[in-house]
Amino acid sequence: MAVASDQATTICSHCDRAIPSTNIDLHYAHCSRNLERCKVCGEMVPRKFAEEHFLSTHAPVSCSLCSETMEREILAMHKGENCPQRIVTCEYCEFPLPAIDLFEHQEVCGNRTEFCHLCSRYIRLRERNDHESRCNGVPDNTAESSRSTRAAEREHDAQRRQPREFSRKRFLFTIAITGIAVLLGSLFLQRKTENNQVH
């Protein structure tokens, strides 16, 4: 059934839609009784579903990872980019961990070393990419010389820590303490023997 396009229309004061003038009274009665305008988006929603519409479309939601409350529209972006509890991976070991812990983990993980078979040096993981672009495969003699220097320093330190010869006073003191201990031990043993003989 074709509707004449030249039919007069009236704008409903409740829903702001153009309604044929002949039906406006009936429409308005139905519209005002059954529909209401959403205060957030302005959409006309059946009254009995107005609360459900608000809760499913506009109500603030909590992030399931960090429990932060936000608007529903930004939840997906928050979980993907901003949530401190979202899972990210370490660029050095590819271990998955919460984003809030990434910096501290990478500080430690990036300081681990790997052996470069081209130049025979240990390279920090955080410096690996830069090293690989500069490494020419020639062993680094400065590293070897610094190792031998460190070994010599360790030997020197060990010699300094060796005990010195006892001084004469210390030696006499040790003998005196030992003598007293022997004397006390013999007195104790003598009393014990006497007590056993009396009983």
Side-chain angles (χ1 to χ4, degrees):
M1 175 173 178
V3 177
S5 61
D6 60 348
Q7 189 176 9
T9 60
T10 305
I11 303 296
C12 174
S13 61
H14 188 69
C15 68
D16 294 331
R17 288 178 44 207
I19 305 298
S21 296
T22 56
N23 295 340
I24 191 67
D25 293 331
L26 186 61
H27 168 83
Y28 182 78
H30 173 77
C31 183
S32 60
R33 187 177 336 117
N34 296 314
L35 298 177
E36 76 177 52
R37 185 175 304 280
C38 174
K39 293 174 179 68
V40 179
C41 66
E43 185 179 327
M44 292 305 289
V45 182
R47 274 190 201 279
K48 61 182 178 182
F49 299 122
E51 186 175 348
E52 183 180 321
H53 166 79
F54 177 78
L55 292 174
S56 66
T57 312
H58 307 297
V61 291
S62 291
C63 173
S64 60
L65 301 173
C66 69
S67 302
E68 183 180 335
T69 303
M70 67 201 67
E71 294 178 23
R72 184 176 302 276
E73 293 81 30
I74 64 169
L75 180 63
M77 183 179 75
H78 167 79
K79 280 186 170 181
E81 299 175 16
N82 302 329
C83 181
Q85 295 299 327
R86 74 186 184 282
I87 301 300
V88 294
T89 54
C90 172
E91 67 179 281
Y92 306 116
C93 68
E94 298 181 4
F95 181 76
L97 67 159
I100 196 166
D101 299 330
L102 182 66
F103 178 77
E104 186 176 331
H105 171 82
Q106 286 188 162
E107 281 293 308
V108 173
C109 195
N111 281 324
R112 291 185 305 127
T113 59
E114 281 186 352
F115 187 73
C116 175
H117 295 287
L118 297 174
C119 65
S120 301
R121 288 181 57 208
Y122 284 94
I123 307 301
R124 284 185 184 160
L125 293 181
R126 74 175 64 243
E127 298 166 354
R128 179 176 50 196
N129 291 339
D130 190 40
H131 174 77
E132 286 173 356
S133 67
R134 290 184 291 117
C135 182
N136 56 12
V138 178
D140 189 357
N141 293 333
T142 59
E144 202 55 47
S145 65
S146 67
R147 277 192 209 121
S148 58
T149 304
R150 276 188 244 124
E153 287 174 359
R154 279 195 297 269
E155 286 177 24
H156 180 69
D157 287 346
Q159 287 174 353
R160 275 192 292 176
R161 283 190 294 246
Q162 288 179 351
R164 296 185 203 128
E165 287 189 39
F166 285 103
S167 67
R168 184 177 168 99
K169 285 182 180 177
R170 190 170 187 172
F171 181 69
L172 292 174
F173 179 76
T174 304
I175 291 175
I177 294 294
T178 306
I180 292 171
V182 169
L183 189 64
L184 288 174
S186 64
L187 287 173
F188 178 73
L189 185 61
Q190 185 179 15
R191 283 194 181 180
K192 189 173 184 181
T193 309
E194 288 176 1
N195 285 343
N196 286 339
Q197 287 176 357
V198 173
H199 292 327

